[in-house]
Amino acid sequence: KNQIVKWGFAAKGSIESTPSIGPDGTVYFGSTDRKIYALDGKQGFKKWEFITGDCVKSSPAIGADGTVYAGSWDSHLYALDGKTGAKKWKADLGSVVRSSPAIGPDGTIYIGSRGKKVHALNGKTGTKKWEFEAGGLVTSSPAVGSDGTVYIGSWDYKVYALNGQTGAKRWEFKTGHWVVSSPAIGADGTVYVGSIDKKVYSLDGQTGAKKWEFP
């Protein structure tokens, strides 16, 4: 008889965080029980857990050195040692973090917050590089293009393209409703994103011009 489920792990809260997998197969995710977990990918046993101050619905991002980054509803972004769960640093972003972090080619961490901001932080120290203020909540997760441009959506109906080094706005594109979806970037630089207006948009990554929309 084929075994369909290899293993299961029960947290003490719901799991809305999408798991991330480390280079050694460790599975990282958050839960509404306020914790960030690390599990053995083959057998499902808990390697470690880290307690934050509130729900963790952010999906972890894993740095080149194995550092695990995740946001919490306690308004902080955490950087944890991927092997031990020890806290390297935490940064106060000023409001609830539902967005998941993205890592730039130079190790910069990009993340949104409900304070209507997109934040850029030094991945090693957690110090702020820049902040960009949108016109609405930012629960969308950023995507980083090959040239370092940061793409992200907001509840102000817009998709933004920001300079990854400075936070300066390169362009904005307005949809018909909140943009909670996180952008995806094609090999040719095209940006694809969904909106609560029931449409998927294809945008030119350099200019923000609409290529097409699909209802």
Side-chain angles (χ1 to χ4, degrees):
K1 187 177 179 180
N2 291 333
Q3 186 180 11
I4 298 171
V5 178
K6 287 190 170 185
W7 53 260
F9 176 84
K12 291 182 180 176
S14 64
I15 300 165
E16 298 175 43
S17 163
T18 303
S20 299
I21 303 172
D24 64 352
T26 300
V27 177
Y28 304 98
F29 65 94
S31 170
T32 59
D33 64 10
R34 305 185 172 198
K35 293 177 181 176
I36 300 165
Y37 289 94
L39 307 181
D40 178 272
K42 288 185 177 172
Q43 297 176 316
F45 64 80
K46 184 174 69 181
K47 289 182 151 185
W48 54 258
E49 64 182 32
F50 178 86
I51 303 172
T52 76
D54 209 327
C55 299
V56 181
K57 298 186 179 184
S58 174
S59 301
I62 304 167
D65 64 353
T67 301
V68 174
Y69 303 94
S72 169
W73 282 40
D74 69 5
S75 304
H76 289 84
L77 172 66
Y78 291 87
L80 309 177
D81 184 300
K83 292 197 179 303
T84 67
K87 184 177 72 182
K88 292 189 169 186
W89 53 259
K90 71 174 182 177
D92 188 352
L93 303 186
S95 71
V96 166
V97 183
R98 176 65 180 88
S99 172
S100 301
I103 305 173
D106 63 351
T108 300
I109 309 300
Y110 303 101
I111 193 165
S113 73
R114 289 197 175 179
K116 303 182 180 181
K117 289 180 179 174
V118 182
H119 308 262
L121 302 99
N122 181 300
K124 293 200 178 301
T125 64
T127 53
K128 181 174 73 176
K129 286 190 162 187
W130 53 257
E131 288 180 346
F132 172 83
E133 186 156 359
L137 311 186
V138 184
T139 57
S140 167
S141 300
V144 184
S146 57
D147 64 353
T149 301
V150 176
Y151 303 96
I152 196 163
S154 170
W155 287 35
D156 62 6
Y157 297 16
K158 293 177 182 176
V159 181
Y160 291 96
L162 309 177
N163 181 303
Q165 292 297 315
T166 66
K169 184 174 69 178
R170 291 187 59 189
W171 54 256
E172 63 181 47
F173 175 84
K174 192 168 186 180
T175 74
H177 212 302
W178 302 338
V179 182
V180 179
S181 162
S182 301
I185 306 168
D188 63 353
T190 301
V191 176
Y192 304 94
V193 67
S195 170
I196 300 290
D197 67 7
K198 305 181 182 178
K199 293 177 182 176
V200 174
Y201 294 88
S202 170
L203 309 176
D204 184 298
Q206 292 299 312
T207 66
K210 183 174 72 177
K211 294 187 172 186
W212 51 257
E213 63 181 54
F214 178 81

